[in-house]
Amino acid sequence: QKEVEQNSGPLSVPEGAIASLNCTYSDRGSQSFFWYRQYSGKSPELIMFIYSNGDKEDGRFTAQLNKASQYVSLLIRDSQPSDSATYLCAVGLYNFNKFYFGSGTKLNVKP
Amino acid sequence: DGGITQSPKYLFRKEGQNVTLSCEQNLNHDAMYWYRQDPGQGLRLIYYSQIVNDFQKGDIAEGYSVSREKKESFPLTVTSAQKNPTAFYLCASTQGGSTGELFFGEGSRLTVL
């Protein structure tokens, strides 16, 4: 069983729509949760992080965490073509001070 | 400017050769990590280090070696024992343990001919 699971996509949404990206994790010792955006051939860049259950909003992005269901999501409102990228979900394990990444969801925003 | 520098960006290697990828950070971070990424895949942890002169194997350490002689440097050697080394290699660092943001270098793309 993989530590972090994501739907590989591609997820296609029209410009201006809401994109919803989902992630599940297996280790209940996970304490920190991150969403990274990665453009083709580039390194990942942090979009959002969340530590507590509930929602966290930053501009057009909202991260949602449900530790009971071991589920993390990222909502992108008013999607733009520049949001087209692969989104990686990452989980931090406190006991081992390391991070696990999902395989990523490719998002296509169509003009 | 603070950041992580990886070199070289592109590297070609013949089978049977060892190669070393450089990773230097000036962020004063304690923890450093090496990840491997294959096309269409996520990042897989090779090695990580929390302090100088100490490092731990990740999930795919076979065929790789590292050293951490200085806080700012964490080089990765891809040995000839690594059967399928062609990949994109990413070095990262963080100050906050597993709760902190990972900062990434620009990556090194290794191709075995």
Side-chain angles (χ1 to χ4, degrees):
Chain A
Q1 181 185 6
K2 290 185 179 179
E3 296 283 348
V4 182
E5 300 264 12
Q6 292 182 256
N7 187 324
S8 61
L11 173 66
S12 292
V13 300
E15 183 175 355
I18 296 174
S20 178
L21 306 166
N22 304 313
C23 170
T24 58
Y25 61 94
S26 61
D27 194 321
R28 289 194 175 273
S30 305
Q31 63 166 172
S32 53
F33 307 86
F34 305 85
W35 283 100
Y36 287 84
R37 177 175 63 199
Q38 186 178 28
Y39 293 112
S40 180
K42 302 296 185 182
S43 60
E45 55 179 331
L46 184 70
I47 298 296
M48 293 282 294
F49 63 88
I50 187 167
Y51 302 144
S52 303
N53 276 330
D55 296 359
K56 180 180 179 182
E57 186 175 319
D58 184 2
R60 296 186 297 114
F61 299 95
T62 298
Q64 299 174 317
L65 173 62
N66 184 327
K67 288 187 177 180
S69 300
Q70 296 175 248
Y71 178 90
V72 192
S73 65
L74 179 70
L75 300 178
I76 306 174
R77 290 180 298 281
D78 188 23
S79 295
Q80 301 297 308
S82 58
D83 294 327
S84 297
T86 296
Y87 288 79
L88 300 170
C89 174
V91 170
L93 299 183
Y94 175 78
N95 288 341
F96 302 99
N97 278 328
K98 58 183 180 180
F99 302 82
Y100 282 104
F101 284 78
S103 58
T105 298
K106 187 171 184 179
L107 173 65
N108 292 328
V109 181
K110 299 180 179 180
Chain B
D1 288 340
I4 299 178
T5 302
Q6 287 187 242
S7 63
K9 286 194 167 119
Y10 299 94
L11 183 62
F12 297 89
R13 181 194 103 171
K14 292 182 180 180
E15 284 191 17
Q17 288 181 332
N18 291 357
V19 294
T20 297
L21 307 180
S22 170
C23 177
E24 302 277 333
Q25 55 102 355
N26 60 4
L27 299 167
N28 199 34
H29 286 170
D30 289 319
M32 297 186 73
Y33 303 79
W34 274 105
Y35 287 91
R36 167 181 172 144
Q37 188 174 36
D38 294 286
Q41 301 295 313
L43 280 61
R44 292 185 291 168
L45 183 62
I46 305 173
Y47 268 98
Y48 64 109
S49 169
Q50 302 296 315
I51 56 172
V52 174
N53 292 323
D54 188 42
F55 48 83
Q56 288 78 39
K57 293 182 179 180
D59 300 309
I60 57 165
E62 184 175 353
Y64 299 97
S65 66
V66 294
S67 63
R68 187 86 186 275
E69 297 177 0
K70 298 184 296 183
K71 185 176 183 177
E72 59 269 24
S73 179
F74 192 39
L76 174 73
T77 296
V78 184
T79 75
S80 57
Q82 171 49 236
K83 297 305 179 188
N84 186 19
T86 294
F88 187 47
Y89 291 88
L90 286 158
C91 180
S93 71
T94 182
Q95 184 56 41
S98 61
T99 59
E101 174 187 354
L102 272 177
F103 291 82
F104 285 90
E106 292 190 340
S108 293
R109 190 167 299 278
L110 172 63
T111 301
V112 173
L113 304 174

mmCIF file of all heavy atoms in Angstrom, chain A residues 6 34 36 106 110:
data_model
loop_
_atom_site.group_PDB
_atom_site.id
_atom_site.type_symbol
_atom_site.label_atom_id
_atom_site.label_comp_id
_atom_site.label_asym_id
_atom_site.label_seq_id
_atom_site.Cartn_x
_atom_site.Cartn_y
_atom_site.Cartn_z
ATOM 1 N N GLN A 6 -3.011 9.451 -4.945
ATOM 2 C CA GLN A 6 -3.696 10.503 -5.689
ATOM 3 C C GLN A 6 -4.180 9.929 -7.005
ATOM 4 O O GLN A 6 -3.547 9.021 -7.564
ATOM 5 C CB GLN A 6 -2.732 11.660 -6.017
ATOM 6 C CG GLN A 6 -2.254 12.466 -4.856
ATOM 7 C CD GLN A 6 -1.344 13.595 -5.333
ATOM 8 O OE1 GLN A 6 -0.127 13.540 -5.213
ATOM 9 N NE2 GLN A 6 -1.956 14.642 -5.887
ATOM 10 N N PHE A 34 0.921 18.855 2.693
ATOM 11 C CA PHE A 34 1.368 19.896 1.773
ATOM 12 C C PHE A 34 0.828 19.636 0.369
ATOM 13 O O PHE A 34 0.670 18.484 -0.033
ATOM 14 C CB PHE A 34 2.904 19.911 1.696
ATOM 15 C CG PHE A 34 3.588 20.047 3.031
ATOM 16 C CD1 PHE A 34 3.836 18.936 3.817
ATOM 17 C CD2 PHE A 34 3.991 21.288 3.491
ATOM 18 C CE1 PHE A 34 4.472 19.048 5.044
ATOM 19 C CE2 PHE A 34 4.627 21.409 4.723
ATOM 20 C CZ PHE A 34 4.866 20.297 5.495
ATOM 21 N N TYR A 36 2.014 20.720 -3.477
ATOM 22 C CA TYR A 36 3.022 21.333 -4.320
ATOM 23 C C TYR A 36 2.521 21.341 -5.762
ATOM 24 O O TYR A 36 1.837 20.424 -6.210
ATOM 25 C CB TYR A 36 4.335 20.545 -4.266
ATOM 26 C CG TYR A 36 5.111 20.701 -2.984
ATOM 27 C CD1 TYR A 36 4.814 19.925 -1.872
ATOM 28 C CD2 TYR A 36 6.156 21.612 -2.897
ATOM 29 C CE1 TYR A 36 5.526 20.058 -0.694
ATOM 30 C CE2 TYR A 36 6.878 21.759 -1.726
ATOM 31 C CZ TYR A 36 6.565 20.978 -0.629
ATOM 32 O OH TYR A 36 7.271 21.126 0.533
ATOM 33 N N LYS A 106 -2.468 15.458 -12.657
ATOM 34 C CA LYS A 106 -2.239 16.440 -13.710
ATOM 35 C C LYS A 106 -3.527 17.211 -13.958
ATOM 36 O O LYS A 106 -4.576 16.623 -14.200
ATOM 37 C CB LYS A 106 -1.781 15.750 -14.992
ATOM 38 C CG LYS A 106 -1.366 16.720 -16.084
ATOM 39 C CD LYS A 106 -0.713 16.005 -17.251
ATOM 40 C CE LYS A 106 -0.230 17.000 -18.279
ATOM 41 N NZ LYS A 106 0.440 16.335 -19.423
ATOM 42 N N LYS A 110 -8.667 24.516 -19.443
ATOM 43 C CA LYS A 110 -8.877 24.864 -20.854
ATOM 44 C C LYS A 110 -9.434 26.270 -20.982
ATOM 45 O O LYS A 110 -10.404 26.618 -20.334
ATOM 46 C CB LYS A 110 -9.842 23.867 -21.487
ATOM 47 C CG LYS A 110 -9.333 22.437 -21.473
ATOM 48 C CD LYS A 110 -10.324 21.497 -22.122
ATOM 49 C CE LYS A 110 -9.796 20.078 -22.135
ATOM 50 N NZ LYS A 110 -10.745 19.129 -22.762
#
